Amino acid sequence: MRAPIVVRGISLTGLRVVTINDELAGLVADDQELIELLRRFGIDDPELRLDDPQWIEWIGGKAHWYKVALRDRPRTGRIRSRG
């Protein structure tokens, strides 16, 4: 059985998409925002659920990681100076 809450991969902005029962719940930038989001959706004691695989599945990035390392970002070309 799949966990009802899924924290999806890290975007280039460092945000993670959160779904609850396959419905988009929001975007979070850290565990504190995730806890607050879960609280707004009526999850009791959300801070105790973060590491419980029966409640939350972390996919596309390690649990509790939100920032993208610079070396992992795609290259976008160089800015040329005028001169």
Side-chain angles (χ1 to χ4, degrees):
M1 185 174 148
R2 187 174 184 170
I5 302 161
V6 177
V7 181
R8 300 187 181 278
I10 305 166
S11 71
L12 290 177
T13 61
L15 298 175
R16 296 187 80 160
V17 173
V18 179
T19 58
I20 299 176
N21 296 321
D22 295 321
E23 297 289 329
L24 178 63
L27 300 168
V28 296
D30 56 35
D31 279 355
Q32 197 57 44
E33 286 187 10
L34 177 57
I35 290 168
E36 189 56 38
L37 179 70
L38 298 178
R39 190 171 283 127
R40 285 196 313 262
F41 275 84
I43 307 295
D44 292 328
D45 301 318
E47 59 279 346
L48 302 178
R49 312 283 183 217
L50 297 186
D51 293 310
D52 184 342
Q54 291 184 336
W55 277 91
I56 296 182
E57 180 181 1
W58 298 81
I59 61 173
K62 293 184 180 182
H64 313 289
W65 282 33
Y66 296 87
K67 303 299 177 203
V68 176
L70 288 176
R71 69 179 185 284
D72 294 336
R73 291 185 182 177
R75 294 193 104 161
T76 58
R78 298 179 182 210
I79 298 172
R80 296 183 185 178
S81 63
R82 292 184 164 178

